[in-house]
Amino acid sequence: MTASPSPANAVTFRQAAAGDAEELLKLQYLCYQPEAELYGHGIQPLTQPLHEVAAEIEGGPAFVAEQGGFIVGGVRCRFEGDVMHLGKLICHPRVQRQGIGARLMALAEQCARQRPSVKAVVLFTGARSAATVRRTPCRRILCGCARNLYGRNPSCGPAAVTET
């Protein structure tokens, strides 16, 4: 018989609030260290100021995952025409591979479905971020690099579009 997780260890999901910006920025800095090894430490997630994180949350939607009173994951979204862009999908290293990122993406997709004008959901990742692309449920999300919204770029991994 397996023990069920205690309520203190349960992961809860909610829409992000402006007051989450500082904690999200610290988590972002931690989570983007592997990307910094690939691209250099001047990447935007490591140099982004707090007021920009707050603006992304306010411009939302944005979602967070909490465990034990701490934010352990997050995703920020923005709408551009008929596309919802997902960015800064992060999970604390100690809770990765537990479905938290997939649940955050599902919340974003659900939000997109509530807007009839949205035709696609796009998750941006860098061309050298093979691990990110492998973990993405690409049957539902278009994975792409900067400017590669609808096509398939072999250096970016597989591409698929969410049907809304």
Side-chain angles (χ1 to χ4, degrees):
M1 181 179 212
T2 46
S4 58
S6 69
N9 291 331
V11 178
T12 58
F13 298 86
R14 64 174 174 78
Q15 191 151 357
D20 296 325
E22 186 173 355
E23 192 172 355
L24 268 175
L25 182 60
K26 289 176 183 176
L27 180 61
Q28 174 178 305
Y29 190 84
L30 173 67
C31 293
Y32 273 90
Q33 293 304 311
E35 300 295 308
E37 294 300 317
L38 294 172
Y39 299 102
H41 291 277
I43 60 175
Q44 193 268 354
L46 298 186
T47 61
Q48 184 176 28
L50 180 60
H51 73 274
E52 285 183 11
V53 175
E56 287 177 353
I57 292 169
E58 289 294 318
F63 300 95
V64 294
E66 291 182 308
Q67 184 180 49
F70 296 98
I71 293 175
V72 296
V75 65
R76 285 169 252 165
C77 311
R78 67 179 169 79
F79 294 98
E80 192 173 292
D82 62 354
V83 177
M84 174 192 251
H85 298 273
L86 302 182
K88 312 260 178 39
L89 176 63
I90 54 175
C91 290
H92 192 286
R94 71 177 162 79
V95 298
Q96 288 179 357
R97 301 185 193 278
Q98 295 180 24
I100 293 170
R103 179 72 177 121
L104 288 165
M105 284 194 301
L107 287 169
E109 286 181 283
Q110 181 181 9
C111 183
R113 284 190 188 96
Q114 293 172 358
R115 290 187 142 179
S117 63
V118 174
K119 304 292 184 229
V121 176
V122 178
L123 172 66
F124 280 97
T125 188
R128 289 176 258 168
S129 303
T132 302
V133 174
R134 276 195 310 272
R135 288 191 301 260
T136 302
C138 284
R139 285 188 177 83
R140 301 182 326 215
I141 305 286
L142 174 66
C143 301
C145 306
R147 304 188 167 278
N148 181 27
L149 294 180
Y150 298 103
R152 181 184 166 112
N153 179 337
S155 66
C156 296
V161 177
T162 297
E163 297 296 325
T164 55

